[in-house]
Amino acid sequence: MTNTAHATTTPAWVLKFMDAIDTLDFDEGFAPLTEDTDMFFGTAHVHGVEAIKEFFVKIDEPLDISHKVLECWTADGGVLLLRGEATMAKKTAPDHVVRAPFMHIFRLADEEPVRVRELRITAGPLETDAVM
């Protein structure tokens, strides 16, 4: 077994997941998440798909936000690495646009259809006052 990541085309389910975060329309985009999925967003630990949805509504509802995937890699053990950039502005201050890099690490279950066991997200740095 090697511990090397390989560049890959971004899977369609990942693009649907990003769109779900942007639109807060979770149906198809959150299908790979389960009640057993753990998400770590910075220092926050959120367990289960419904709690993860609530988390994204809380942080993203006040924003106009768009996530763009820049690179995607796969690694052994069902690991998918994603690097991208989020463009966001408060809905109350749409002219103050902030861009923040992000990194997502997905740990996938070994089954079909795709199931996310764990998701780790880092974002920033960003001008926190501009979006919080």
Side-chain angles (χ1 to χ4, degrees):
M1 179 166 96
T2 63
N3 290 317
T4 304
H6 302 280
T8 188
T9 302
T10 306
W13 69 265
V14 170
L15 298 175
K16 289 176 185 175
F17 177 79
M18 292 293 146
D19 185 61
I21 293 171
D22 293 344
T23 63
L24 302 179
D25 179 8
F26 299 113
D27 292 336
E28 191 176 352
F30 269 45
L33 279 63
T34 72
E35 284 308 315
D36 294 323
T37 300
D38 282 304
M39 181 181 77
F40 299 87
F41 190 111
T43 60
H45 176 201
V46 184
H47 180 76
V49 64
E50 293 305 318
I52 294 169
K53 289 176 186 178
E54 289 173 18
F55 180 87
F56 279 112
V57 167
K58 180 180 177 183
I59 66 170
D60 287 352
E61 192 169 49
L63 305 174
D64 286 321
I65 190 164
S66 175
H67 291 80
K68 180 178 180 181
V69 175
L70 302 175
E71 296 179 86
C72 188
W73 304 276
T74 57
D76 293 338
V79 174
L80 182 77
L81 306 161
L82 193 66
R83 184 180 75 84
E85 183 177 76
T87 303
M88 64 194 100
K90 285 183 184 178
K91 289 179 179 174
T92 59
D95 293 333
H96 191 167
V97 176
V98 175
R99 288 177 179 73
F102 66 81
M103 192 76 194
H104 290 192
I105 303 169
F106 293 91
R107 292 190 183 277
L108 307 175
D110 187 22
E111 61 184 85
E112 288 294 328
V114 171
R115 294 289 177 243
V116 176
R117 290 186 336 218
E118 183 180 283
L119 171 58
R120 294 187 178 265
I121 301 173
T122 59
L126 57 91
E127 297 173 52
T128 306
D129 292 343
V131 294
M132 300 297 181

